Amino acid sequence: MAVLEILLGFLACAVTSLASGITLVRMLRLDLRRAEAIGLGYVVGSALTSTATLVLAVLWLAWEGVFLALAAFSAIVLWRHRHWLRHLKPAVVSHIPLTLRLLFYAAIVAYGILYFRQALSPEMSPDGMGYHLGLVNLWNHAHGLARNISTQARSEEHT
């Protein structure tokens, strides 16, 4: 069940990133091909999604329902952009030599498998388990950016 939740979380984040990025690309009226609009939109949208997540946490609105609503809204926005995306010119792949295309696809598949495996594997380092994921767990339960009192108390003891 955890793998399904991880994959659904990834899907929600990816849809939100792509929808917000493509919306910005459309607002800026950039002259891009379809693959460029999707690639640039996803990268820019990831930054926007990350910033929105931070803002929600700062405002103490980091609830599961808020993120689900944001993902559902983003899916609707992405669905509404489908006609615009279809009308963009496709990338001209025929000008790229076959060896470079095969090398690119091999790198994408290798990186994708490696990244997918790393994303699904549990955090193994003591620093990751005790500190990084501990803070994420704290913020998740607090639905915002709560202070870590134990870290603050230890730093005050040393001063």
Side-chain angles (χ1 to χ4, degrees):
M1 189 64 177
V3 172
L4 181 61
E5 290 174 356
I6 291 170
L7 292 175
L8 288 175
F10 160 74
L11 182 63
C13 185
V15 165
T16 303
S17 296
L18 189 57
S20 60
I22 287 178
T23 301
L24 183 62
V25 166
R26 280 191 75 180
M27 287 172 58
L28 295 175
R29 300 177 194 266
L30 300 176
D31 184 26
L32 300 173
R33 295 187 180 272
R34 187 178 310 136
E36 294 168 334
I38 291 171
L40 182 64
Y42 187 77
V43 170
V44 171
S46 294
L48 293 172
T49 300
S50 177
T51 303
T53 302
L54 176 64
V55 168
L56 287 172
V58 166
L59 296 174
W60 295 90
L61 297 173
W63 292 82
E64 183 178 350
V66 174
F67 290 113
L68 288 174
L70 181 61
F73 176 74
S74 297
I76 293 167
V77 168
L78 191 58
W79 181 74
R80 303 260 311 165
H81 287 313
R82 75 188 189 288
H83 296 299
W84 177 78
L85 282 170
R86 282 189 199 142
H87 289 15
L88 292 178
K89 294 179 272 185
V92 183
V93 180
S94 60
H95 297 309
I96 302 171
L98 180 62
T99 53
L100 285 178
R101 279 187 278 167
L102 291 175
L103 181 64
F104 174 75
Y105 292 135
I108 289 292
V109 168
Y111 178 76
I113 290 170
L114 177 67
Y115 193 79
F116 184 74
R117 185 192 145 298
Q118 288 299 108
L120 291 180
S121 65
E123 183 68 50
M124 295 180 200
S125 69
D127 182 51
M129 289 289 285
Y131 182 71
H132 297 290
L133 290 181
L135 286 176
V136 171
N137 189 38
L138 171 72
W139 296 332
N140 180 41
H141 289 311
H143 307 292
L145 295 179
R147 291 174 48 191
N148 187 348
I149 303 300
S150 62
T151 304
Q152 182 184 4
R154 275 184 274 170
S155 66
E156 289 174 359
E157 287 175 3
H158 296 323
T159 58

